[in-house]
Amino acid sequence: ELDGFGVRPVTRGHDGSGLLPLACAWSCRSLVAFTTGLRDDDQDLTRMIHILDTEHPWDVHSISSEHSEAITCLEWDQSGSRLLSADANGQIKCWSMADHLANSWESPVGSLVEGDPIVALSWLHNGVKLALHVEKSGASSFGEKFSRVKFSPSLTLFGGKPMEGWIAVTVSGLVTVSLLKPSGQVLTSTESLCRLRGRVALADIAFTGGGNIVVATADGSSASPVQFYKVCVSVVSEKCRIDTEILPSLFMRCTTDLNRKDKFPAITHLKFLARDMSEQVLLCASSQTSSIVECWSLRKEGLPVNNIFQQISPVVGDKQPMILKWRILSATNDLDRVSAVALPKLPISLTNTDLKVANDTQFYPGLGLALAFHDGSVHIVHRLSLQIMAVFYSSTAPRAVDEPAIKRPRASGPAVHFKAMQLSWTSLALVGIDNHGKLSMLRISPSMGHALDVSLALRHLLFLLEYCMVTGYDWWDILLHVQPAMVQSLVEKLHEEYTRQNAALQQVGLRGGPEARVRGPACCAPVLRALPCGWVPPHSAPSPPGRSPPQVLSTRILAMKASLCKLSPCTVTRVCDYHAKLFLIAISSTLKSLLRPHFLNTPDKSPGDRLTEICAKITDVDIDKVMINLKTEEFVLDMSTLQALQQLLQWVGDFVLYLLASLPNQGSPLRPGHSFLRDGTSLGMLRELMVVIRIWGLLKPSCLPVYTATSDTQDSMSLLFRRDEGPTSEPDEALVDECCLLPSQLLIPSLDWLPVSDGLVSRLQPKQPLRLHFGKAPALPGSATTLQLDGLVRALGQPKIDHLRRLHLGAHPTEECKACTRCGCVTMLKSPNKMTAIKQWEQRWIKNCLCGGLWRRVPLSCP
């Protein structure tokens, strides 16, 4: 039910005391930050932060954090790009990516409560909360499956914008809040949780829908109550103000039983079940050898009023006073000693109905939390009933689930066990750090061991992929469970669900700006004939009239399809097609955004819109007839700008020529570019871009794509722009014959496709755990079909290329480069061109790759 792979550190060390806390955090962009308890004679690693992306876990980046004591807390923000770290000296640091690189970090701001260890840490809530409706997974609209919940931010700026900042709780009972002003200034305030301060050994932080913060604290003894406080943060006279209020407290149930009063003397874990649900809390009390876990819920209850008072005041009798009271929901039997707890992040409603929903829909991700034990095992238990849903044993000898902990033979030394754990954002994977400094990753089956119908299992994976597409979260952990036989069905169903979205959703983040239109180009007579704008491929549905698909969702679904197609040898060539389509969309949007209306008081349509409209109306293959209907003065650009764009225009021309040469045999499914020949939208983009290139070529011929003619009697550009007969819905014999002659007239360029990814997820084998080492890239087996494909594997010493600027870097580049963690795209860190148009192009992928993946710096020796 749970499968795993691990990464061992090369550094050897020993966790001396065994009491040193470890921290681990998994961001929504599949970055894992963690600490270790390793020490040796040369260095102390307890003050270092290690960050890795899950696709390349061996490529770990260690930050010398400059914390003076051991790190106690790590917390990612909602965007997954900033990290908070806190230590045992009260110092908090805010880390952000330097130059948007996942392996380069800097800490420009922070706060300090000197000498007071931090025990709990959290970012302030930004007011964004989604609800996942599992029972509506079959609905057509994303709005029905995932709805926005009304939730107030912890603090707002003028106009209602959420204010950024963090809140922390210290051992001495202080709460400290730091606010990040837009100017970069940090406002910090510290206040006592209550007048009578006491030791706080454990704490956790949650948020209410009204914008308040709830803090739970315990002093570590099960004989003491678990205290709860409401914290309100405000800004008064440019200063941060904190107001606290005491809420109802509770005693653990195991301490109220006289026979077991002293059996579990210590509270070892205190967690709210979700950061934005302050009404449920999980508590764990332990002894030296065993633990018990309890789940509590805060409820409103009526306060009984004596009849005498009801008679005196009828108002009291009509409206019964209500009080808040903690009630226990469930408790476990005696367990082995719990060493770590991990909670799910999927926003499924925390009510008793989720048991019924799970039974009806058999959807289990997000319903369970993970408990790690000192014997090395991990249990996934239901978050409300605490019933066991799945079990993982690190040893080879499995044990019965119902075997009492007291009967299990105990090893002479401490067993290897997790000291910190985190579940992924879809709860399909779990990462843990053990007491020997080893990082382990477990796959958690979506079915939790239940026998599911194949179609139902596909629907659950599709539902989670849609959730990631809507939220923008990384879907790496979902790919762990996709079998090669599932890929084709998932890609088709994902596209079908995307095209079913209503017009209102299709306009989100799109209308309003020339960069938002994503249609495309064509420039040659055969192309104008083969790619008529009105042609719709037989197996694709036309877009709603006058509507364009949303640019954010349209690019995200392409990246998602590319990730899926990597997993099957049968679909690996389509990965290149999807990446080429992402590149084409970005080029089309950028080039059309450079067009400017000749008069400022132009009607509502931009030049890019008019180009799309005219190319759709006029399907003549004579490019000059298309140009006559355009206002060519809108296409006039500075000569230096046109020359700077030549590399991008060259790629468009090369790609068109490659597609035309592939047309006679309708493309081979085993060669990249096959899917473009049946994609009307992409062919329409190419048609538009070729018109733009033709006009710019009249202004500055040197910006035109350059071709090598193989026949002395043929001029390359005249061949591509030559007139031909009108277009048809399917390529006719004359066009096919003409394309057959292309290789004898022009040298067909070899396109530099993205290399096959060297990541982990496409190489994992089911039920075969991997052993990896930090700093050592593994020689993982690849797909035999993939290795046979021409152009997808780069030979050693072969010249390399900047995939986004289309510049050749040479076999041994001298410029620093960065690579995408998701698709492997490589580009230079620093721009060689300072032209405004080039800056506009580079702004499209300065923070993330075109596929949405994170950038990481790569060494000069192997970019």
Side-chain angles (χ1 to χ4, degrees), residues 305-321:
V305 179
N306 192 284
N307 291 333
I308 296 175
F309 295 103
Q310 291 186 23
Q311 294 171 4
I312 296 174
S313 176
V315 178
V316 174
D318 296 339
K319 187 177 180 181
Q320 188 180 26

Side-chain angles (χ1 to χ4, degrees), residues 163-478:
M163 193 167 190
E164 296 180 323
W166 59 83
I167 178 172
V169 180
T170 71
V171 164
S172 68
L174 294 177
V175 57
T176 177
V177 175
S178 295
L179 304 177
L180 300 177
K181 297 187 68 176
S183 61
Q185 182 185 359
V186 180
L187 299 180
T188 301
S189 180
T190 303
E191 194 65 53
S192 176
L193 280 170
C194 61
R195 291 183 180 179
L196 187 61
R197 286 170 61 186
R199 179 176 181 267
V200 176
L202 301 167
D204 200 20
I205 301 165
F207 301 90
T208 67
N212 294 322
I213 304 166
V214 178
V215 174
T217 65
D219 64 4
S221 170
S222 60
S224 303
V226 179
Q227 303 278 4
F228 295 86
Y229 305 91
K230 182 171 77 172
V231 178
C232 301
V233 182
S234 57
V235 176
V236 180
S237 302
E238 292 297 313
K239 291 185 179 180
C240 179
R241 176 178 172 179
I242 303 173
D243 296 303
T244 61
E245 177 185 331
I246 297 178
L247 296 176
S249 58
L250 65 88
F251 282 93
M252 289 193 66
R253 172 68 61 87
C254 62
T255 62
T256 59
D257 185 350
L258 295 178
N259 296 326
R260 309 172 65 191
K261 185 176 180 181
D262 302 320
K263 185 172 182 180
F264 303 102
I267 297 179
T268 52
H269 297 89
L270 164 62
K271 297 279 187 183
F272 286 105
L273 288 191
R275 271 290 156 92
D276 48 15
M277 293 289 288
S278 59
E279 293 85 13
Q280 281 91 13
V281 68
L282 187 81
L283 299 167
C284 175
S286 304
S287 64
Q288 290 293 328
T289 58
S290 58
S291 295
I292 190 169
V293 178
E294 296 178 357
C295 183
W296 289 74
S297 177
L298 185 65
R299 299 177 180 175
K300 281 186 177 180
E301 296 185 359
L303 187 66
V305 179
N306 192 284
N307 291 333
I308 296 175
F309 295 103
Q310 291 186 23
Q311 294 171 4
I312 296 174
S313 176
V315 178
V316 174
D318 296 339
K319 187 177 180 181
Q320 188 180 26
M322 306 294 288
I323 61 168
L324 292 172
K325 197 166 187 179
W326 287 99
R327 293 290 185 185
I328 190 167
L329 289 178
S330 55
T332 63
N333 297 322
D334 291 6
L335 306 168
D336 197 5
R337 182 176 172 127
V338 174
S339 61
V341 178
L343 296 167
K345 301 183 182 75
L346 267 183
I348 298 177
S349 146
L350 281 175
T351 62
N352 288 323
T353 57
D354 63 357
L355 283 169
K356 184 177 184 304
V357 168
N359 291 331
D360 294 345
T361 64
Q362 294 183 287
F363 184 86
Y364 301 101
L367 294 185
L369 56 90
L371 300 176
F373 298 94
H374 273 257
D375 65 353
S377 64
V378 177
H379 291 187
I380 306 295
V381 301
H382 192 278
R383 59 185 183 179
L384 290 184
S385 66
L386 300 180
Q387 296 174 351
I388 294 178
M389 302 173 71
V391 181
F392 168 80
Y393 292 109
S394 59
S395 60
T396 54
R399 293 183 285 265
V401 172
D402 56 353
E403 182 183 353
I406 194 99
K407 292 184 178 179
R408 296 177 187 167
R410 306 206 174 272
S412 56
V416 177
H417 58 270
F418 290 153
K419 294 188 67 177
M421 288 192 308
Q422 277 274 305
L423 282 166
S424 69
W425 284 70
T426 59
S427 300
L428 294 186
L430 180 143
V431 66
I433 313 297
D434 66 25
N435 53 333
H436 288 183
K438 175 185 168 187
L439 176 95
S440 298
M441 185 81 69
L442 305 180
R443 288 190 281 203
I444 303 176
S445 169
S447 63
M448 292 291 180
H450 296 80
L452 293 186
D453 184 68
V454 177
S455 61
L456 187 60
L458 275 175
R459 195 172 78 181
H460 290 168
L461 290 176
L462 178 67
F463 184 61
L464 291 173
L465 285 171
E466 291 170 349
Y467 171 69
C468 290
M469 187 161 63
V470 169
T471 58
Y473 296 160
D474 193 83
W475 51 86
W476 179 87
D477 49 334
I478 304 175

Side-chain angles (χ1 to χ4, degrees), residues 490-500 557 561:
L490 273 177
V491 170
E492 290 175 358
K493 290 180 182 296
L494 195 64
H495 182 76
E496 181 183 337
E497 290 296 323
Y498 167 73
T499 54
R500 290 169 65 186
I557 191 175
K561 288 177 181 178

Side-chain angles (χ1 to χ4, degrees), residues 70-150:
I71 296 170
T72 57
C73 302
L74 292 173
E75 279 291 324
W76 290 101
D77 71 346
Q78 193 69 17
S79 69
S81 57
R82 288 185 301 177
L83 177 71
L84 287 178
S85 63
D87 65 16
N89 191 42
Q91 187 177 29
I92 301 172
K93 286 177 170 283
C94 176
W95 300 89
S96 56
M97 295 184 193
D99 299 323
H100 310 289
L101 298 171
N103 55 357
S104 181
W105 296 82
E106 58 187 3
S107 176
V109 293
S111 62
L112 177 66
V113 185
E114 192 168 0
D116 209 349
I118 306 294
V119 293
L121 179 66
S122 175
W123 290 88
L124 297 180
H125 205 285
N126 61 1
V128 177
K129 182 182 177 184
L130 281 181
L132 209 70
H133 302 290
V134 179
E135 68 280 3
K136 296 181 180 178
S137 61
S140 60
S141 170
F142 287 165
E144 295 180 48
K145 300 176 185 180
F146 320 105
S147 63
R148 179 80 177 262
V149 178
K150 187 177 180 181

